[in-house]
Amino acid sequence: MSSFGPAYAAYLRVLSRFLAVRGRRGALGFFLIVITPLVGVCASACGGAGSSTSPTKASAPRTEAHGERGDEACPACAADATRYLRQLSLDLRGRPPSVEELEQVRTSQDVTPETIDAMVHSDEFLGRVRTWHMALLWPNLDGFHVRGAPLVAIDYDDATGRQKGGTFSPDPAMVEDGPAPKGRSGKRPAARGFVYHPDGYVNQLLRGGEVGATLCDPRIEYPKPAAARMEGGRSVAPAQPTYSVVGTDKKRRKYPYYDADGVPLPYHDAAHCPNYCSSKGDAERASRDYKGRREYYAPMNAKGADAKPHELDPPDMHCPDAFPHRVVNSCDNHVGSNDPEMVVRVRREGMRKVRHYWSGTTEVRTCAYDAQERTNSTITGASCAGNALRDASCGCGPQGMYCMPSILSAGVASSRAEYVVRTALNEEPLRIVESVVARDEDYFDIFRTRRSFMNGPLAMLYKNQLGSLQGLALSAPASAEALPDISYDDAGFREYLRDAQHAGVLTTPAYLGRFPTWRSRVSQFRTAFMCRPFTPGSAALPSPDDACTREPNLAQRCGCKNCHAALEPMTAWFGRWAERSAQYLGPAEYPARDPSCEQCAVNKKGCTERCRTQYVVDTVNADGARYAGTLRGYLYRTKDEEARIDEGPGGLVASAIASGELESCTIRTAWGKLLGRSMSDDEMQAVLPELARRFERSHHSYRDLIKAIVTSPAYRRVD
């Protein structure tokens, strides 16, 4: 046998050249020419002289599933062991075995239980577990926005104060001193003009004008506002810094950068600005006054010297008004309006250089309204966390923590910071699964544990940005005190404990967002973890003229109830997890019935967004009217189903465990992953019960289940 390997290799090289010349590889010819010599040698080597069949796993006598041989060594059986090792290593670790492992198996002619045990306790095995469960959970929020108040980077031309066309913000740092990528023209612009401002609607809210048309002026740098001081036990507003403006009469006038509370004031030339468009005549007169007037004097710069005068189009002239922090509009765009409170011009403030939580030690140019750092509004007293960029006295807060940076590329805002958050949310359910398997806990705890993980970007989102969140609505998974204290730039995940309403992977934003309706959440669980997908019946649908087709309750509507009679009761377990969001609707804030929402439903007006999105305010028929003001999760519920709402998704898991479907499906799914096929009917009868008993005896250890499958005769027979 020592000369068999080289001789057979030479034989195959000659055969390869022959087949290349022939131009085809017939299946029968290939078997006769390639396999037959190998069969003869193997049969002879295994003591089967004269045998015409190759040795199989079944023909080699073995004492246990791991293939222990008798006293006589068999090279062909060693080849079988190496194939088994390769199969195990690829399935359990995702890579081929090492040379040392192959040599050890060739010597021992078998794969030992210790080798398999080492594989299922490796980090690579946990990686395989993650991959398998990714196919079951589908964690992907790429179709959603998950961001705090967006602060968009715009590249400005410092000479004109206008946005430059065809250029892109630097990424990922997105700071003034960062490298600037090429613009559409192919030229590399200087990295000097990047200024951060809010998105279009919010920008219009504070500065007026058309959406996206009016931004702050990056040429004017505002100093830091003076802080209030304490005198005699009370807060005293300080004198704010001022700037000088030279009017057409050549006289200097001083104007404050901020009001007494430190809220930025838009700059202006008071000598040239009327205050209101009180009528059509005033609007037309204001428009005439501005025609032909292009010279405008900006404030003095930080060193006290006059800033260079700029020539601006008439709509860019800026004026004061009696309400410096209210929504403003442009008269030029509303000539003919009779609104007596319409302000003549849009407002425009300068910028400040500030450090944000994402910019490290670099100061970035930020519009002065948005650079404000207070935590509560000076206008309403409300927290700025929920009013970032929407309240003139609320900016992005201390270190910009209420906002999330974005870049503007070809008119579309995108954000690496948002991508990092989405990636972390997608990672969360997989880490929960990995932690349960790594600790040899009951596998079903992946649906029951309150344990979860977060990194720095997620901690920033949950602690500071939920109030101004845009896109997928989220609830804080725990109180602020229970959330881990992690710096934003820490990408490592930390373990923490969520509140009691959570149920493993089923209440993670990745699962709730990816399956946004109650029905889809239940359907995915039934399909992936109970192996019982919903399938439509074969009966013909009723006539659309049939009255029962207009029944609003799908569990009773003919043509629908075949599936929905089973589906709808199961959706009750998700009744307090809002649809199309990852928001938990707690009983204190969202009672089962809300009188105010009921009243607005009856009156058909005055409904708040809370009522419109979470309560029944639009009934289909008289029967449904009795649900007016009811939390949507309670619509058409029986008493038993209402009890399920209180149980939460954990009740769905408990039901699946009690029925045995969760256990059975877990085994069948793992079997399919490892053998590449489903269980046969015979295996369902003979193999599944034994695997289930072993799985239960191990307290549902996922590692032990995998070991049971890979040491089974069926797995070893896989070619």
Side-chain angles (χ1 to χ4, degrees), residues 415-425 455-458 488 491 493:
S415 171
R416 181 179 182 275
E418 182 183 357
Y419 168 79
V420 170
V421 166
R422 280 202 308 265
T423 301
L425 290 173
N455 60 5
L458 273 187
Y488 176 76
F493 282 80

Side-chain angles (χ1 to χ4, degrees), residues 94-140:
R95 64 170 177 83
S98 66
V99 174
E100 292 77 11
E101 290 171 330
L102 285 169
E103 290 299 330
Q104 182 182 6
V105 166
R106 287 194 182 101
T107 302
S108 65
Q109 301 181 11
D110 198 15
V111 179
T112 65
E114 291 75 20
T115 299
I116 298 176
D117 198 59
M119 287 185 182
V120 298
H121 281 84
S122 66
D123 290 340
E124 295 160 308
F125 174 71
L126 295 178
R128 297 293 289 166
V129 171
R130 287 166 54 91
T131 300
W132 297 338
H133 284 79
M134 191 179 298
L136 300 173
L137 296 169
W138 301 4
N140 188 345

Side-chain angles (χ1 to χ4, degrees), residues 356-404:
H356 294 289
Y357 66 89
W358 45 267
S359 66
T361 59
T362 304
E363 291 185 331
V364 296
R365 304 199 302 180
T366 306
C367 292
Y369 272 130
D370 316 313
Q372 296 178 91
E373 300 176 82
R374 64 179 55 83
T375 56
N376 290 87
S377 169
T378 63
I379 300 173
T380 65
S383 170
C384 285
N387 294 286
L389 310 184
R390 294 178 179 273
D391 184 312
S393 66
C394 285
C396 288
Q399 294 186 313
M401 63 185 182
Y402 303 142
C403 300
M404 188 177 285

Side-chain angles (χ1 to χ4, degrees), residues 102-376:
L102 285 169
E103 290 299 330
Q104 182 182 6
V105 166
R106 287 194 182 101
T107 302
S108 65
Q109 301 181 11
D110 198 15
V111 179
T112 65
E114 291 75 20
T115 299
I116 298 176
D117 198 59
M119 287 185 182
V120 298
H121 281 84
S122 66
D123 290 340
E124 295 160 308
F125 174 71
L126 295 178
R128 297 293 289 166
V129 171
R130 287 166 54 91
T131 300
W132 297 338
H133 284 79
M134 191 179 298
L136 300 173
L137 296 169
W138 301 4
N140 188 345
L141 294 178
D142 289 351
F144 292 89
H145 276 308
V146 187
R147 63 186 183 189
L151 203 58
V152 184
I154 291 293
D155 190 13
Y156 271 92
D157 188 319
D158 281 346
T160 65
R162 297 175 183 274
Q163 180 180 344
K164 292 181 65 176
T167 58
F168 302 85
S169 320
D171 189 25
M174 295 183 290
V175 295
E176 182 181 353
D177 297 327
K182 291 183 178 181
R184 293 180 183 174
S185 63
K187 297 180 180 179
R188 185 171 291 277
R192 72 201 184 293
F194 297 107
V195 179
Y196 284 82
H197 74 93
D199 67 4
Y201 168 73
V202 176
N203 181 62
Q204 182 191 32
L205 186 67
L206 294 183
R207 298 171 181 87
E210 298 302 313
V211 173
T214 308
L215 308 172
C216 63
D217 192 334
R219 300 166 300 180
I220 310 302
E221 182 176 355
Y222 275 37
K224 185 176 182 178
R229 66 182 187 277
M230 299 298 295
E231 287 186 5
R234 62 189 183 89
S235 178
V236 177
Q240 294 293 344
T242 60
Y243 61 88
S244 295
V245 170
V246 179
T248 55
D249 55 4
K250 308 300 183 184
K251 293 182 178 180
R252 291 180 181 272
R253 296 176 177 84
K254 288 187 176 294
Y255 295 95
Y257 286 100
Y258 303 92
D259 67 11
D261 294 317
V263 179
L265 293 172
Y267 62 83
H268 54 268
D269 182 345
H272 293 159
C273 290
N275 286 331
Y276 295 101
C277 300
S278 59
S279 67
K280 178 178 178 181
D282 286 344
E284 292 174 343
R285 184 164 54 255
S287 180
R288 287 197 303 272
D289 287 344
Y290 280 97
K291 289 179 180 178
R293 181 174 293 149
R294 296 178 61 84
E295 189 175 45
Y296 173 75
Y297 291 90
M300 298 173 66
N301 61 28
K303 296 182 179 179
D306 288 339
K308 182 179 179 181
H310 309 293
E311 286 192 347
L312 304 175
D313 292 330
D316 288 323
M317 300 291 287
H318 308 292
C319 307
D321 61 87
F323 307 95
H325 302 309
R326 65 184 290 277
V327 177
V328 293
N329 295 281
S330 170
C331 277
D332 285 351
N333 294 327
H334 301 277
V335 173
S337 171
N338 292 319
D339 183 357
E341 292 191 355
M342 185 175 287
V343 181
V344 176
R345 298 295 179 193
V346 295
R347 65 184 71 255
R348 198 177 188 193
E349 88 282 22
M351 62 82 185
R352 274 186 60 203
K353 290 184 178 180
V354 294
R355 292 179 183 175
H356 294 289
Y357 66 89
W358 45 267
S359 66
T361 59
T362 304
E363 291 185 331
V364 296
R365 304 199 302 180
T366 306
C367 292
Y369 272 130
D370 316 313
Q372 296 178 91
E373 300 176 82
R374 64 179 55 83
T375 56
N376 290 87

Side-chain angles (χ1 to χ4, degrees), residues 10 24 89 118 154 171 195 283 328 382 403 467 513 517 538 602 638 717:
R24 62 176 177 265
S89 187
I154 291 293
D171 189 25
V195 179
V328 293
C403 300
T517 65
S538 57
V602 172
T638 65
R717 285 196 300 268

